[in-house]
């Protein structure tokens, strides 16, 4: 099973992300746009792992006080355009604690530096480069309270990835 830990979004955040995608389409951007049901913020990517119950036990052992996150800025990783999350010490601490706990109990995870972002479109094709300022008004003030994290399963379907909360 391909597993990852995420923050799943409320409708306020999803609506803002969908509005960014719509604005991109109006500017003739094409690509593999992330479907609303797949929009999330990855805290840790585990990959193939056969014991999701053990992972869930570890997640459940982490005490987490609710905190807010806010959308902020945009950028690209080459063939991927994303929306960022405003700098947030509580979010950074949560990711660090989660990853440290996985390391302590030998659950493998991708050790890339935590860079909070939400994928909006993969393999974008556009006659104009990404202009983050064009979408600032859509993102401004969009926030949500995080009161839990989710263990997710990733399966390849005939129309792309299917993410299921476990």
């Amino acid at each position: 099973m391909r597993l990852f830990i995420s923050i799943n979004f409320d409708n306020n955040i999803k609506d803002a992300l969908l509005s960014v995608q719509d604005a991109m389409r109006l500017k003739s951007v094409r690509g593999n746009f992330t479907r609303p049901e797949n929009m999330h913020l990855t805290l840790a990517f585990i990959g193939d792992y056969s014991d999701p119950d053990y992972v869930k036990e570890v997640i459940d052992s982490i005490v987490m006080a609710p905190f807010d996150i806010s959308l902020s800025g945009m950028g690209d990783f080459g063939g991927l355009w994303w929306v960022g999350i405003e700098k947030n010490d509580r979010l950074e601490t949560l990711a660090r604690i989660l990853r440290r706990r996985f390391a302590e109990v030998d659950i493998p995870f991708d050790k890339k530096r935590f860079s909070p972002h939400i994928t909006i479109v993969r393999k974008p094709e556009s006659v104009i480069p990404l202009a983050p300022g064009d979408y600032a008004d859509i993102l401004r003030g969009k926030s949500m309270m995080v009161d839990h994290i989710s263990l997710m399963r990733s399966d390849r379907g005939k129309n792309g990835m299917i993410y299921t909360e476990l």
Side-chain angles (χ1 to χ4, degrees):
M1 249 185 265
R2 284 176 46 97
L3 302 175
F4 63 94
I5 314 308
S6 75
I7 293 172
N8 295 328
F9 299 122
D10 65 14
N11 288 335
N12 181 49
I13 297 291
K14 280 188 183 180
D15 289 346
L17 298 172
L18 292 170
S19 292
V20 168
Q21 288 180 329
D22 290 343
M24 288 180 168
R25 287 183 181 101
L26 287 174
K27 292 180 181 266
S28 300
V29 175
R30 292 187 313 258
N32 297 331
F33 285 89
T34 303
R35 295 188 320 259
E37 63 271 17
N38 283 358
M39 291 178 173
H40 68 276
L41 174 63
T42 300
L43 296 171
F45 180 77
I46 295 172
D48 291 324
Y49 193 74
S50 61
D51 193 353
D53 291 333
Y54 185 49
V55 175
K56 186 85 168 113
E57 283 178 35
V58 172
I59 292 169
D60 290 345
S61 74
I62 296 171
V63 177
M64 184 188 96
F67 62 94
D68 289 325
I69 58 172
S70 300
L71 299 180
S72 177
M74 295 183 66
D76 70 274
F77 299 137
L80 183 145
W81 288 359
W82 50 263
V83 169
I85 300 291
E86 193 172 290
K87 179 154 178 46
N88 185 308
D89 291 337
R90 305 249 330 254
L91 175 64
E92 299 277 340
T93 298
L94 175 61
R96 190 172 42 255
I97 289 169
L98 180 66
R99 291 161 177 237
R100 184 181 316 130
R101 188 73 179 108
F102 285 162
E104 290 170 353
V105 297
D106 295 322
I107 294 175
F109 62 95
D110 186 342
K111 293 182 176 58
K112 281 188 225 157
R113 185 178 70 81
F114 179 59
S115 178
H117 67 279
I118 305 134
T119 301
I120 294 298
V121 61
R122 286 180 171 81
K123 299 180 183 175
E125 296 177 17
S126 177
V127 294
I128 57 171
L130 175 65
D134 291 350
Y135 309 100
D137 286 343
I138 298 171
L139 300 174
R140 188 173 295 112
K142 301 302 186 224
S143 63
M144 68 170 264
M145 179 173 289
V146 176
D147 58 7
H148 72 283
I149 57 178
S150 300
L151 173 60
M152 304 295 291
R153 176 181 174 159
S154 172
D155 296 293
R156 188 169 303 281
K158 64 180 179 180
N159 295 319
M161 299 308 288
I162 300 166
Y163 301 149
T164 307
E165 187 170 2
L166 299 177

